Amino acid sequence: MLKPAFREKAVKPPQHWQQLACGSWLKDQVEQQLAEECKRLYGYHFARVGCLSAELSLPQFAIAHQFSVAAALHEQVQVQAKSSDWPFAEASLDAILAVGQLEFEQDPHQVLRDLSRSLIADGKLIYVGFNPLSPNLLTSLWPGKMKQYPWSGRYFTKARLVDWLTLLNFEVTVERYFAPSFLLERWGLLQTGAERLFNVLPQCGTLYLVIAKKREFPLTRITARQKQRQLRPNLQSAPLANQTQPKEY
């Protein structure tokens, strides 16, 4: 049975990639995955959620206005606000990027609802999350590792995130795992083993990427029978009293 996503206390998210185990390597992996995807973004306003998203070096793309939003003070953050108290109006953003944000939130469902509300129709939500099926969780069993980043956060599976987005009327267009690793800098043999395991089981990647497009559906569902009635021509027979009767002479 799955545990509820809501947690009693929020965990302070990392403010720099260097705070994560193998943080510089993870940052490079995320930038490589987003390089091609960003070329497909269009619109006017693009928001990055969290300090990790703010520090990413992304290529130039068609959205001119980019800004970062985070609760903590950061030199690359332009708007200081909590993602649980999202300050943007409805249908005001064309795309949103978040990296490892839900793992440290108190109420991930509320965060996704707020992000969805601020997206325009066909707007894109790009999320990079930590995979709970990755073998790097074995590293967290070492003494003192559980209190370090990224293991101090709560991981959610990619399938669970996709279910949440589907309930919010999102269409998932991209989903994949990447960056296999035990997140150990000195164990080259283990890194090689993680990469070989990833070739057989891609679900063992350290991170996953999900890109979803917001869809707007009609509130009233039209059944097949109602649709046939609408397409059927409205033919009415004339009353008997108005029908022309042959005359006898």
Side-chain angles (χ1 to χ4, degrees), residues 47-73:
R48 305 188 191 193
V49 185
C51 296
L52 297 182
S53 300
E55 291 186 342
L56 293 176
S57 298
L58 300 180
Q60 296 294 328
F61 48 93
I63 300 181
H65 183 211
Q66 304 180 39
F67 57 93
S68 300
V69 186
L73 292 175

Side-chain angles (χ1 to χ4, degrees), residues 182-204:
F182 280 90
L183 298 184
L184 293 171
E185 297 180 355
R186 300 181 181 180
W187 293 66
L189 293 177
L190 284 179
Q191 178 63 27
T192 303
E195 294 175 356
R196 291 180 178 177
L197 180 62
F198 178 76
N199 293 332
V200 180
L201 294 174
Q203 296 82 0
C204 295

Side-chain angles (χ1 to χ4, degrees), residues 19 38 60 80 89 107 135 138 147 149 168 190 208 236:
Q19 293 179 293
C38 287
Q60 296 294 328
Q80 186 178 5
D107 191 353
L138 298 176
K147 296 182 180 180
Y149 295 120
L168 293 173
L190 284 179
Y208 58 81
Q236 296 181 357

Side-chain angles (χ1 to χ4, degrees), residues 60 73 100-101 167 189 211 224 228 231 246:
Q60 296 294 328
L73 292 175
Q101 191 67 26
L167 292 175
L189 293 177
I211 301 179
Q228 290 178 357
L231 297 177

